[in-house]
Amino acid sequence: MSPVKLEDSDEVKPSDGAKAKECITTVLKGLESIAPLVRSVEETPESISTEVQGTIPSWVNGNLLRNGPGKFEFGNTHYNHWFDGMAMLHQFKIENGQVMYKSRFLQSDVYKKNSERDRIMVSEFGTLALPDPCKNFFQRFLSRFEMIQSTDNASVSFVKYKGDYYVSTETNFMHKVDPESLNTVEKVDWSKFIAVNGATAHPHYDPDGTTYNMGNSYGSKGAMYNIICVPPEKTDAKDTLQGAKVLCSITPANTSHPSYYHSFAMSENYVVFIEQPIKMDLLKIITCKLRGKALSDGIYWDPKEETVFHLVDKHTGQASSVRYHTKAISTFHQINAFEEDGFLMLDMCCSDDGQAINNYLIQNLRKSGDALDEVYNTMCRVFPRRFVLPLNVTSDTPTGQNLNTRPSSTATCVKTSKDKMFCQHEDLHGDDLQEYGGLEFPQINYSRCNTRPYRYFYGCGFRHLVGDSLLKMDLKDKSLKVWYQKGFYPSEPVFVPSPDAVDEDDGVILSVVLTPSEDKGTFLLVLDAKTYEELARANVPVNMPYGFHGTFKASA
């Protein structure tokens, strides 16, 4: 049985050349190996206690839920890409100043098939499953002509619909899970409820519980981008996505090469879709099995194309005829969006290159020494930026002049033709952020500030291929607070507001911190969100891989 692997000629190299040099702010050497952060681990299905150092505020009670890849091989077959690993769900139960921990592998169909045969049976984003060796030659040959089936390995995030918790990825499958036991409850197929072939793992929520998301559909005329709306109410106990509807469909600039997107933005009255030059070659994708390539082979970066912001009215479902353009940028995560004084402020974590998704091969993450340094130093950094979009654009709006009249903002937006605006961003940071390698995994005080003016956001600094610091940005003066300890790698910060909060940053930051140089050197970190001083850490006596996203479920 041959291992599943990339041929040497198929290794996706980090971005290079002049474009990469433009992206680099500081060149680092001697990066620590993070290979232990992308290794397979055992699940911990029964709750275990942790050792708490310091004091967790008594009002912090609930479950920090985390999701991410936790198994990277079956038998002698192994995955090629970080995104491919089997979903592992983590729970940190915080109660009366103490923390209990448990983890379980998501019991997806993919996980069960792979476990039963002890080999990779289903293709993932960066890994093509080889034909079943138990089939005869003719059956194996014919299997090359079959379409790749969507994976239900929901390894990206925890999300909520109608009060229930799901784990999700970017295909049409999610899994409903019990946030207390971490048991896999039900597999849910988006396409059974609405005409889409998937949805992002980053929905947005209105205060009443209405949920918005985005998903593509593919038909005889090519791809369409669809904005999805899921109502907050259940009609019966078994209701899942019942009542979901497509609010608006947007035609891609090239229907056979639509944009890849990981998330989208939302203000009080608009959904903002960012059509970026990370493209999906649909012909390559549907023929990848025939060509012996993974799905990732059909995704590419086209720096010659501009990025376009599409605004859709949440109340009418109408897309604005005005298109807001900017230079070629890529974005995976938005920070916030809000309307003020006739403008829509769109805050995002942006890069001037779009090849990062193909750099996160496991073979790259497991490199060490000069080879690891080279991978990092040829990657483009990600920084927070603001675009200011004027909302009241008419035929009388003058061309050729900056329409951004906000004196505090250096962003520009110029009408260049009847329905086209060209925008240039302003930086949401000072020079000191360059020292921390940029910022990703942004979070805000969501319940208070989502779709509203805000002052603070939080994220991970990336002086490595994964987060190595926790950052807090104050937009009032673009000042930075930092938690950093050499050799520690914190995950996405999760903000939990205090029950008697007055200020926006009254609360705590929760982050799972990993220590690759130390066996079982994992702990849950609790920071005072206002001062960024450490309040406590709960040492967890297990090894964990570096994960993606999560949420905090407060106790009832």
Side-chain angles (χ1 to χ4, degrees):
M1 191 184 308
S2 301
V4 178
K5 65 178 182 180
L6 289 174
E7 300 298 330
D8 291 341
S9 60
D10 292 333
E11 180 179 357
V12 184
K13 299 293 185 182
S15 53
D16 52 22
K19 169 58 75 174
K21 292 179 182 178
E22 292 173 8
C23 295
I24 294 173
T25 53
T26 54
V27 175
L28 296 182
K29 294 183 178 180
L31 292 177
E32 177 187 22
S33 171
I34 56 169
L37 305 187
V38 285
R39 65 183 174 191
S40 297
V41 299
E42 299 295 325
E43 63 182 0
T44 308
E46 302 299 327
S47 294
I48 60 172
S49 59
T50 68
E51 177 192 1
V52 177
Q53 297 173 295
T55 303
I56 300 174
S58 59
W59 54 265
V60 183
N61 290 286
N63 294 334
L64 175 65
L65 303 169
R66 295 275 303 156
N67 195 356
K71 186 173 178 61
F72 298 96
E73 62 277 318
F74 287 88
N76 65 348
T77 60
H78 62 266
Y79 290 114
N80 299 318
H81 200 282
W82 189 22
F83 298 172
D84 298 346
M86 293 292 96
M88 176 175 260
L89 316 181
H90 307 263
Q91 179 204 82
F92 299 82
K93 179 178 285 293
I94 307 172
E95 192 171 38
N96 299 322
Q98 299 300 310
V99 179
M100 302 291 289
Y101 169 79
K102 71 167 63 170
S103 63
R104 289 180 181 270
F105 282 110
L106 177 69
Q107 295 300 301
S108 62
D109 290 349
V110 170
Y111 179 80
K112 290 186 281 191
K113 287 179 182 177
N114 292 345
S115 298
E116 181 182 347
R117 299 296 295 273
D118 198 26
R119 68 184 304 271
I120 294 172
M121 298 291 294
V122 179
S123 296
E124 298 288 342
F125 172 76
T127 305
L128 180 67
L130 294 182
D132 189 344
C134 296
K135 293 181 178 180
N136 62 39
F137 172 81
F138 186 63
Q139 289 173 320
R140 294 200 300 274
F141 173 74
L142 287 180
S143 70
R144 292 285 188 180
F145 296 87
E146 297 172 354
M147 285 285 291
I148 285 186
Q149 299 300 308
S150 292
T151 179
D152 67 333
N153 177 37
S155 62
V156 178
S157 189
F158 272 87
V159 298
K160 281 180 69 176
Y161 292 97
K162 301 185 178 185
D164 292 326
Y165 283 81
Y166 297 81
V167 288
S168 61
T169 179
E170 296 179 341
T171 70
N172 54 307
F173 296 116
M174 299 189 300
H175 284 274
K176 185 177 178 180
V177 297
D178 183 335
E180 292 301 323
S181 66
L182 297 185
N183 287 338
T184 304
V185 177
E186 179 185 5
K187 179 180 175 179
V188 178
D189 183 349
W190 274 97
S191 66
K192 300 295 184 185
F193 298 90
I194 192 170
V196 295
N197 296 94
T200 81
H202 292 285
H204 277 294
Y205 309 96
D206 270 346
D208 69 352
T210 301
T211 307
Y212 296 85
N213 208 330
M214 288 198 61
N216 281 3
S217 58
Y218 305 100
S220 59
K221 296 182 180 180
M224 295 290 284
Y225 309 122
N226 300 293
I227 296 170
I228 305 164
C229 179
V230 181
E233 306 89 3
K234 287 185 180 182
T235 56
D236 59 59
K238 295 182 179 180
D239 189 1
T240 50
L241 300 178
Q242 199 69 40
K245 64 179 181 179
V246 172
L247 183 68
C248 177
S249 295
I250 299 170
T251 304
N254 184 336
T255 55
S256 63
H257 290 247
S259 288
Y260 167 82
Y261 53 93
H262 183 71
S263 59
F264 63 99
M266 187 178 83
S267 68
E268 181 180 2
N269 295 297
Y270 297 93
V271 170
V272 185
F273 167 55
I274 299 99
E275 188 173 20
Q276 59 187 350
I278 303 178
K279 298 295 185 178
M280 299 187 295
D281 185 327
L282 296 186
L283 180 60
K284 278 191 171 183
I285 288 174
I286 64 175
T287 61
C288 62
K289 195 169 183 180
L290 178 63
R291 297 182 299 109
K293 299 287 187 179
L295 284 167
S296 57
D297 180 66
I299 296 181
Y300 66 98
W301 166 247
D302 185 355
K304 300 184 297 299
E305 289 204 11
E306 294 179 343
T307 296
V308 183
F309 306 130
H310 299 266
L311 271 59
V312 175
D313 189 307
K314 289 161 60 177
H315 310 293
T316 67
Q318 293 297 310
S320 171
S321 61
V322 178
R323 298 289 187 266
Y324 302 84
H325 290 240
T326 191
K327 67 178 184 177
I329 59 170
S330 67
T331 179
F332 284 89
H333 302 108
Q334 287 73 55
I335 305 168
N336 198 8
F338 62 94
E339 302 155 41
E340 194 172 63
D341 302 327
F343 296 92
L344 189 150
M345 266 56 70
L346 177 60
D347 297 351
M348 310 187 299
C349 291
C350 301
S351 170
D352 292 324
D353 193 357
Q355 302 192 78
I357 194 171
N358 285 329
N359 291 335
Y360 281 96
L361 296 171
I362 291 175
Q363 63 194 45
N364 284 342
L365 293 168
R366 289 176 177 171
K367 286 179 177 177
S368 60
D370 293 343
L372 181 60
D373 295 345
E374 181 183 2
V375 172
Y376 178 77
N377 287 319
T378 53
M379 288 176 65
C380 199
R381 310 293 186 260
V382 178
F383 288 96
R385 297 172 178 174
R386 171 171 291 177
F387 293 87
V388 178
L389 313 182
L391 293 171
N392 304 314
V393 178
T394 68
S395 58
D396 296 327
T397 301
T399 60
Q401 67 184 56
N402 180 20
L403 300 177
N404 179 15
T405 57
R406 297 169 63 86
S408 61
S409 171
T410 59
T412 64
C413 191
V414 176
K415 184 179 178 182
T416 59
S417 63
K418 178 184 176 182
D419 292 323
K420 180 178 178 180
M421 314 287 294
F422 191 83
C423 307
Q424 292 180 302
H425 70 269
E426 67 170 300
D427 291 330
L428 292 183
H429 63 90
D431 292 341
D432 52 352
L433 181 57
Q434 295 184 3
E435 178 185 345
Y436 295 95
L439 184 147
E440 253 291 8
F441 292 152
Q443 293 287 316
I444 61 172
N445 183 340
Y446 193 94
S447 60
R448 174 167 172 164
C449 299
N450 184 50
T451 76
R452 302 180 182 94
Y454 70 114
R455 178 173 173 179
Y456 304 105
F457 63 91
Y458 312 87
C460 286
F462 272 72
R463 282 179 300 191
H464 213 300
L465 297 179
V466 298
D468 77 330
S469 58
L470 290 169
L471 309 177
K472 175 188 179 181
M473 184 66 67
D474 185 343
L475 290 176
K476 184 177 181 180
D477 56 7
K478 297 181 181 177
S479 61
L480 196 63
K481 282 186 168 65
V482 180
W483 182 92
Y484 169 76
Q485 292 186 14
K486 184 175 174 56
F488 291 170
Y489 296 87
S491 67
E492 170 190 63
V494 174
F495 178 85
V496 182
S498 62
D500 55 353
V502 175
D503 296 328
E504 178 187 328
D505 58 348
D506 285 340
V508 298
I509 292 292
L510 304 178
S511 176
V512 180
V513 182
L514 308 179
T515 314
S517 60
E518 181 182 339
D519 185 49
K520 300 180 180 178
T522 304
F523 59 90
L524 174 64
L525 177 67
V526 185
L527 298 179
D528 183 314
K530 184 179 287 290
T531 66
Y532 241 48
E533 295 177 354
E534 181 174 330
L535 299 176
R537 61 177 66 179
N539 298 294
V540 188
V542 300
N543 289 314
M544 293 182 210
Y546 197 91
F548 297 137
H549 300 290
T551 190
F552 183 77
K553 178 184 181 296
S555 297

